Amino acid sequence: MTDPTTGLRTAPVVDLRSDTVTRPTPAMRRAMADAEVGDDVYGEDPTVNLLQEEVAAAFGHEAGLFVPSGSMGNQIALRLLVPPGSELLCDADAHVVTFELAAAAVHGQVSTRTWTSTGGRFDPAVVAAMVRPPAPYWVPTAAVAVEQTHNLAGGAVQEHAALRRLREIADAAGIAVHCDGARIWNAHVATGVPLAGYGALFDTVSVCLSKGLGAPVGSVLVGSAERIGQARVLRKRLGGGMRQVGILAAAGRYALAHHLDRLAEDHRRARRLAELLGLDPAVASTNIVAMEVPDAPAVVARARAEGVLVGALGPRIVRCVTHLDVDDSGIERAGKVLSGVLGHAP
Ligand SMILES: *Cc1c(COP(=O)(O)O)cnc(C)c1O
């Protein structure tokens, strides 16, 4: 890159705002261009059908549905699991109650009740104590949602033992469990727990192809064949029925085949960034480094002026996310710039 005013070569911008900023690679674009397509509202797009089958099989579920966004995947799942006038339990910082614009209330007439957690990891005993059985004088609990990994908690991984315990609690109470698995791929790569090991614990899982996997668009919701049949109707009603969308599904299939194992590199780079910033590398359990600073917007602005883009999650938290389009030299430069901005030597 060349600075337009000085004509001098400058280093490219290092964009750590989110793992959604990745652009499709040349090979992914070729896979998209070559995709066989058909009308997916008629169920006739072969590439979409393959993607849905592959993702469902990976999680050990009967069926999958390609949806335009993770938010739509989550919200369709909540409609499937929580009848109007019933409640969903989830973390107070969960994406489903923080970044989905009250969709559960607006579209589903779903009441939400939240728990607070330390480091994003839920306590199964706390959740168990919150469950309300049906009665004519309170809001009955219909489902619990957990986020794997936990975005606002810095990519924290929910322990498999806690998830298993949650499944037992839900079964005993006769309620459902949804997983917002936007970054469940990162949890799988970080822990070695098979995707099917996670899938077995949830009634529905929504997974994003457009985060660390690097596809431009799309999520898949998996569940039983019956639920996914209902999900098809809900998706169409929301305006999410798409036609020759195999072009996008091809990007997702390419991402799953070629970009899943490499998430380990993103995790290594997140640990390296934490180390460069003088943090305990353990804060970066997956591909996110979140840190508390006195003035997050100021840190964002000063880093931006030096070509490093980071995100502010509220007034005091800065978030850096590693992904496909950030390499080792980008991390070294981000570490140097951010250390300078934060006022300590690299
Ligand atoms: C990104 C994300 C989603 C889905 O986001 P969309 O932008 O709607 O695709 C859902 N949950 C979590 C935790 C996320 O980080």
Side-chain angles (χ1 to χ4, degrees):
M1 285 210 319
T2 311
D3 184 302
T5 44
T6 63
L8 297 173
R9 274 175 61 80
T10 55
V13 164
V14 182
D15 192 344
L16 298 172
R17 287 171 302 167
S18 173
D19 45 10
T20 56
V21 301
T22 55
R23 270 161 260 208
T25 62
M28 182 183 280
R29 285 174 186 265
R30 279 194 296 277
M32 296 169 75
D34 293 343
E36 261 191 77
V37 296
D39 191 326
D40 182 51
V41 171
Y42 295 161
E44 289 174 3
D45 189 302
T47 309
V48 172
N49 290 339
L50 278 173
L51 173 72
Q52 291 174 164
E53 285 161 22
E54 286 163 358
V55 175
F59 286 92
H61 281 241
E62 285 174 355
L65 186 70
F66 187 60
V67 289
S69 69
S71 297
M72 193 186 282
N74 281 337
Q75 291 302 328
I76 289 175
L78 298 190
R79 295 284 295 279
L80 294 173
L81 304 180
V82 189
S86 308
E87 75 180 2
L88 172 80
L89 305 180
C90 66
D91 187 288
D93 283 331
H95 196 281
V96 291
V97 290
T98 306
F99 294 122
E100 296 179 13
L101 302 164
V106 173
H107 298 303
Q109 297 173 292
V110 166
S111 184
T112 45
R113 198 152 48 95
T114 58
W115 66 78
T116 53
S117 62
T118 319
R121 292 186 190 88
F122 68 92
D123 178 344
V126 168
V127 178
M130 290 174 75
V131 175
R132 289 177 181 144
Y137 43 82
W138 59 20
V139 186
T141 307
V144 179
V146 290
E147 198 165 301
Q148 181 74 308
T149 64
H150 194 306
N151 177 9
L152 276 183
V157 178
Q158 310 293 349
E159 300 275 348
H160 203 233
L163 294 172
R164 278 202 306 266
R165 182 76 196 107
L166 178 64
R167 181 72 262 174
E168 290 166 5
I169 291 163
D171 286 344
I175 62 174
V177 186
H178 171 65
C179 178
D180 176 356
R183 296 187 181 80
I184 200 166
W185 320 107
N186 298 81
H188 158 65
V189 167
T191 62
V193 172
L195 295 173
Y198 286 128
L201 302 176
F202 306 116
D203 297 274
T204 48
V205 187
S206 172
V207 299
C208 287
L209 304 165
S210 58
K211 300 269 164 87
L213 291 181
V217 179
S219 286
V220 178
L221 177 67
V222 301
S224 68
E226 189 189 345
R227 284 203 174 105
I228 295 303
Q230 296 163 349
R232 267 193 104 76
V233 174
L234 292 171
R235 181 186 67 175
K236 188 73 174 78
R237 189 172 287 144
L238 289 167
M242 300 175 285
R243 304 293 176 171
Q244 286 71 29
V245 73
I247 288 178
L248 296 178
R253 292 190 70 221
Y254 181 91
L256 281 169
H258 300 277
H259 295 167
L260 181 56
D261 294 339
R262 66 152 301 289
L263 292 175
E265 285 178 42
D266 294 346
H267 300 173
R268 175 176 61 73
R269 291 188 179 117
R271 285 195 300 274
R272 173 65 181 153
L273 181 63
E275 184 180 80
L276 288 167
L277 298 176
L279 303 169
D280 178 354
V283 301
S285 46
T286 51
N287 70 327
I288 300 177
V289 181
M291 60 196 145
E292 203 167 336
V293 297
D295 184 349
V299 171
V300 169
R302 291 182 52 205
R304 175 178 275 269
E306 296 190 54
V308 174
L309 308 185
V310 297
L313 297 179
R316 295 166 66 89
I317 306 280
V318 165
R319 186 184 77 156
C320 307
V321 189
T322 59
H323 54 74
L324 193 58
D325 290 357
V326 182
D327 60 11
D328 288 331
S329 67
I331 290 298
E332 296 302 315
R333 199 155 73 79
K336 208 166 149 193
V337 164
L338 287 168
S339 293
V341 167
L342 296 169
H344 54 77

